[in-house]
Amino acid sequence: MNVIIYHTNDFHSNFNNLKKVHAYIKANKTADDLYLDSGDYTDLSSIIVQADSGKSAMQLMVDSQLDAMSLGNNEIDLGKEALVELAKSGVPLLSTNIRDLNHKNIDGIFSSLILQRAGKRFLIVGLSPYYSKNFEHASYDLFFMMGGVTTEEPIVLLKEELEKQKGQFDYAILLSHSGLFVDKVILEKLPEINLCLGGHTHDIATFKGYSQSGQGEKLGKITLEITDTGIVESENIQIDLIEQSNERFDTLYKEAETTTTQILSQPLPIIRELAFDALNESELINFICDALMKEKKSDLAIMHTGIAEQALINPVSKKSLIENFPSKLNPTQYQLSGKAIREAILLSFDVKHIKNSGKGPGFRGRILGTLGFSQNVQVEKSTGQITIDGYPLEDDQIYSVITDDYLQRGSGYPSLKVGDHEATFEPGFIRDLVEKYLLDEEIFASSKVQRVFEEVL
C-alpha cells in the first residue's frame, strides 16, 4: 500500500496557481493521502487577504483538502489576533517556534499534530522562519513583534517536540518555512525527521527526504511505500500543473472577491488627486515624503518612486490603495552620511538604472524608479548641487533619514543600506501612511513644492 504526500509552498496569494492545485488534488487525492503546505500562502499585496486578514483566502485552502500548514512570515505579518482567527478556519496551523510577546503559546497554533493514514501515524511538525541566510538569530523579529509575535530558536524546540512525541508516531514530517540553506542544517542535526517539506526560498528542490516546490507553480508528490518493516520513500517528484476548467474554485473565488469588494471599496475622503511619474518628480511621491517627515521628525525623507503603481485617483478606497501600493514596506528611520545620500541621489539620475525591475524583499512593484525627497531638500541635476534646509549636503556629516525598509536594505540604491540593528521600523505600511494623511491640507499643499531641478536655480 502507498501513501502519497502532496506538497506546496509560497503561493503568495497567487490564486491562479492554487486553482490548478485545487483541481489536481480534487481529482487525485485519496483518503490515504496527505496534502501539506509550508507557508506563505497569504500575501498582504492581495486585496482578498487584506479584506479580512486572510479568512476568506483560507477557505479556498480548506476546499483544496489541505491537511496542515506551517506558518510563514507572510502569515505572521498578519499579526497575532489575525492568526488566532485563522486558526479557526479548519486548517491546522503549525509552528514549533512562534510565541506572543510574553513568550506564551498563541491560541490555536500548535507545534505538531498526528494524522493517521493507511494504519500508520504521521507526526507533522511546523516551523516558522528564524534564521537569516547568514544564520543570524531572530532575524525577522523586528517586524514580527510589531504584530505581537516573536520567534524562538527552532532546533532545540524541534528536538524537544520530537522527544515529547517519541513512541507516538511511525514517520516524522517537518513543514519548514526556513529556506533550503537552513533545512539542510536541520536535517543534519535531526536525523529523526524522515521528510522535510520546505519553503521560504522559493527553490524547486527534490531529493531523498526533501521537497520544496517553488512558488506554487509546481506540486510536490512524494510516494511512501507502506511495508511490513516500516515506511520507505519510493518516489519524490515535482508535477507541472496545467490550466484547466475548475468551476468549483471559480465560484468560491468569486464569492471571496465579492466579499472583498464590499469590505474594501467604500470611498475614503480625500482633498484632491495626486499626479505620479515613476521616472520623474511627482506630487504623489512628494506627498509620501512629506507625510514621512510629519510622522517621524528627521533631517530628510527619501522614497523610491517604484513604491507606487499610478497616480492617486478618485475614488480612493482601501482597495485602490492596496492595488496602488502593493509592497509591504514599513516606514524606517536611520542615520546615513552625506556621502551615502549623495551617491544614491546621483544614481537616481541614471535613466537605465531607474528602469530596472526593483526586485527586493517586501517589494511588489514593477520598477525601481527614481528617488523623491521631502520639501526641505533641493537637488540641481545639472550641477549635482544638493541642499537640505538651505544648507549644502556635507559628505562627512551624519543625517537622520526617514524612508522604508526597502531602501534601508540597499535594494536598488546600495549606498542607502544599513543593518537592521541600526534602524527603527514603524508599524504599518507606506499605503497606511498615505491613508492616514488623505485629509491633511498642509501635506497636500506642500506636495506641489518642487524639489528636483534640471538647471541651476
Side-chain angles (χ1 to χ4, degrees), residues 336-383:
L336 277 174
S337 69
K339 181 180 179 181
I341 295 168
R342 184 186 307 279
E343 185 177 326
I345 291 175
L346 294 178
L347 185 57
S348 75
F349 300 162
D350 185 332
V351 175
K352 182 178 179 181
H353 179 75
I354 65 178
K355 290 182 178 180
N356 286 332
S357 69
K359 182 179 180 181
F363 186 68
R364 303 290 189 270
R366 294 176 295 176
I367 186 175
L368 169 63
T370 188
L371 294 178
F373 314 97
S374 47
Q375 66 168 317
N376 65 324
V377 177
Q378 288 191 343
V379 177
E380 295 176 2
K381 294 179 74 171
S382 60
T383 64

Side-chain angles (χ1 to χ4, degrees), residues 270 272-276 284 310-317 320-321 324:
I270 180 177
R272 64 177 176 84
E273 296 181 343
L274 293 169
F276 172 69
L284 178 55
Q310 62 178 19
L312 194 69
I313 302 170
N314 267 320
V316 175
S317 64
S320 72
L321 288 174
N324 198 9

Side-chain angles (χ1 to χ4, degrees), residues 291-310:
L292 284 167
M293 286 286 279
K294 193 162 189 175
E295 189 74 7
K296 192 82 172 176
K297 184 62 179 173
S298 306
D299 291 322
L300 74 158
I302 303 175
M303 183 53 55
H304 50 110
T305 56
I307 191 71
E309 295 292 294
Q310 62 178 19

Side-chain angles (χ1 to χ4, degrees), residues 275-434:
F276 172 69
D277 183 342
L279 303 180
N280 296 285
E281 180 181 359
S282 68
E283 288 183 333
L284 178 55
I285 303 304
N286 288 350
F287 175 92
I288 292 172
C289 289
D290 292 346
L292 284 167
M293 286 286 279
K294 193 162 189 175
E295 189 74 7
K296 192 82 172 176
K297 184 62 179 173
S298 306
D299 291 322
L300 74 158
I302 303 175
M303 183 53 55
H304 50 110
T305 56
I307 191 71
E309 295 292 294
Q310 62 178 19
L312 194 69
I313 302 170
N314 267 320
V316 175
S317 64
K318 288 183 180 292
K319 180 175 182 288
S320 72
L321 288 174
I322 294 166
E323 292 170 338
N324 198 9
F325 305 97
S327 301
K328 53 171 210 170
L329 297 170
N330 302 78
T332 306
Q333 188 181 47
Y334 57 99
Q335 294 188 324
L336 277 174
S337 69
K339 181 180 179 181
I341 295 168
R342 184 186 307 279
E343 185 177 326
I345 291 175
L346 294 178
L347 185 57
S348 75
F349 300 162
D350 185 332
V351 175
K352 182 178 179 181
H353 179 75
I354 65 178
K355 290 182 178 180
N356 286 332
S357 69
K359 182 179 180 181
F363 186 68
R364 303 290 189 270
R366 294 176 295 176
I367 186 175
L368 169 63
T370 188
L371 294 178
F373 314 97
S374 47
Q375 66 168 317
N376 65 324
V377 177
Q378 288 191 343
V379 177
E380 295 176 2
K381 294 179 74 171
S382 60
T383 64
Q385 176 72 25
I386 302 164
T387 62
I388 300 174
D389 293 321
Y391 296 96
L393 179 74
E394 299 290 345
D395 283 358
D396 57 356
Q397 185 171 329
I398 300 300
Y399 297 87
S400 173
V401 176
I402 181 76
T403 179
D404 65 19
D405 51 301
Y406 175 82
L407 292 183
Q408 172 258 325
R409 293 189 184 95
S411 303
Y413 293 92
S415 68
L416 299 182
K417 180 178 180 178
V418 301
D420 287 352
H421 65 283
E422 300 177 63
T424 302
F425 303 97
E426 299 299 320
F429 300 136
I430 297 299
R431 58 173 169 261
D432 300 316
L433 184 80
V434 173

Side-chain angles (χ1 to χ4, degrees), residues 20 45 87 101 107 120 196 215 271 301 325 370 386-387 394 403 407 457:
K20 298 175 190 177
S45 64
L101 297 184
D107 290 345
K120 297 295 183 181
C196 179
Q215 289 186 273
I271 291 176
F325 305 97
T370 188
I386 302 164
T387 62
E394 299 290 345
T403 179
L407 292 183
L457 294 175

